[in-house]
Amino acid sequence: MTIATDKLYEGARAFQVAHQTKLDSSSATPLELPGTIRYTFDSEFGPRGFQYLRCDQSGGCTRGQLQSKRANVAITNITAGTTTSFTLAGQVADIYKGGIAVVIDDAGGAGAAPEGESAIIADNSTSVFNIDPNDAFSAALAANDDLQIILPWAVVDSADGDAAGIVKGVAMANQDQYDWGWFQFLGINPDVDAIAAGTALIVNESVVAGA
């Protein structure tokens, strides 16, 4: 079994008319729905768009700095598993809640279940990941199975040449690692510097993400 079908139809709640936080908010726990999108219109800057995301960058995120989606997290050679959990020591507690766990290799047989299946992570400790029971895998995970975790709302500092599809926007506040806040993905942000690697900026030339 993969992710429960009804989850695919709940995404509309990510668009809200009113929000509980200011654009420069930063908090250790989410005060908005993760991934929430908001739009504003300013007479000075015009239309702007923001998304509520978590800063996973080691050392934190700097206001005005461009951020990209965090790469998928490899969970390799788990030590134990069931249809609703898997174990691997050395994790940071609670940071994978709401992430998507995808089984990429079943060590017990070529392509055998639950390889290729996915599920939402309900919570995690420093070693155990618990799966939403509605998304239970069709077969139990076992030692040496491999997974990847997708964190669609986690960002890190952009790197030179990051593809547009993974660039998420610029931080609206200084944030510690694993803090939540707003990131601007649309419109003018005067805190952002455009640097042409030691050469002059060219009018109407495309730009790419920098470090």
Side-chain angles (χ1 to χ4, degrees):
M1 180 179 179
T2 56
I3 294 173
T5 302
D6 59 357
K7 286 188 171 67
L8 299 175
Y9 299 95
E10 296 175 354
R13 64 184 181 180
F15 291 89
Q16 298 174 212
V17 175
H19 301 277
Q20 301 181 65
T21 57
K22 295 181 178 180
L23 288 173
D24 60 356
S25 169
S26 180
S27 62
T29 57
L31 303 178
E32 309 275 359
L33 287 171
T36 293
I37 291 173
R38 72 192 288 181
Y39 292 96
T40 66
F41 182 84
D42 303 316
S43 58
E44 296 85 1
F45 303 126
R48 296 192 294 164
F50 309 86
Q51 190 168 20
Y52 194 72
L53 304 167
R54 190 181 71 194
C55 170
D56 279 21
Q57 177 65 37
S58 175
C61 297
T62 302
R63 175 178 170 175
Q65 190 170 30
L66 192 63
Q67 307 294 315
S68 294
K69 179 187 176 297
R70 177 179 174 176
N72 296 343
V73 180
I75 303 295
T76 305
N77 293 327
I78 64 172
T79 54
T82 69
T83 58
T84 56
S85 68
F86 54 95
T87 301
L88 187 66
Q91 310 304 318
V92 179
D94 299 325
I95 69 166
Y96 298 116
K97 180 179 179 180
I100 305 168
V102 182
V103 184
I104 61 172
D105 181 57
D106 174 68
E115 186 172 316
E117 298 183 12
S118 55
I120 301 297
I121 298 171
D123 57 70
N124 76 280
S125 67
T126 56
S127 60
V128 178
F129 299 76
N130 291 308
I131 295 299
D132 183 335
N134 294 314
D135 299 337
F137 295 118
S138 64
L141 291 162
N144 297 317
D145 285 354
D146 298 333
L147 300 93
Q148 281 198 346
I149 299 176
I150 302 170
L151 301 172
W153 27 251
V155 296
V156 295
D157 291 351
S158 293
D160 185 21
D162 275 359
I166 69 168
V167 174
K168 304 297 285 185
V170 299
M172 295 298 294
N174 294 325
Q175 297 178 351
D176 293 333
Q177 186 178 24
Y178 303 128
D179 276 4
W180 292 85
W182 293 100
F183 293 78
Q184 183 175 342
F185 64 85
L186 173 70
I188 296 172
N189 186 313
D191 286 333
V192 179
D193 292 327
I195 301 172
T199 63
L201 290 171
I202 302 172
V203 175
N204 295 328
E205 185 73 9
S206 296
V207 297
V208 298

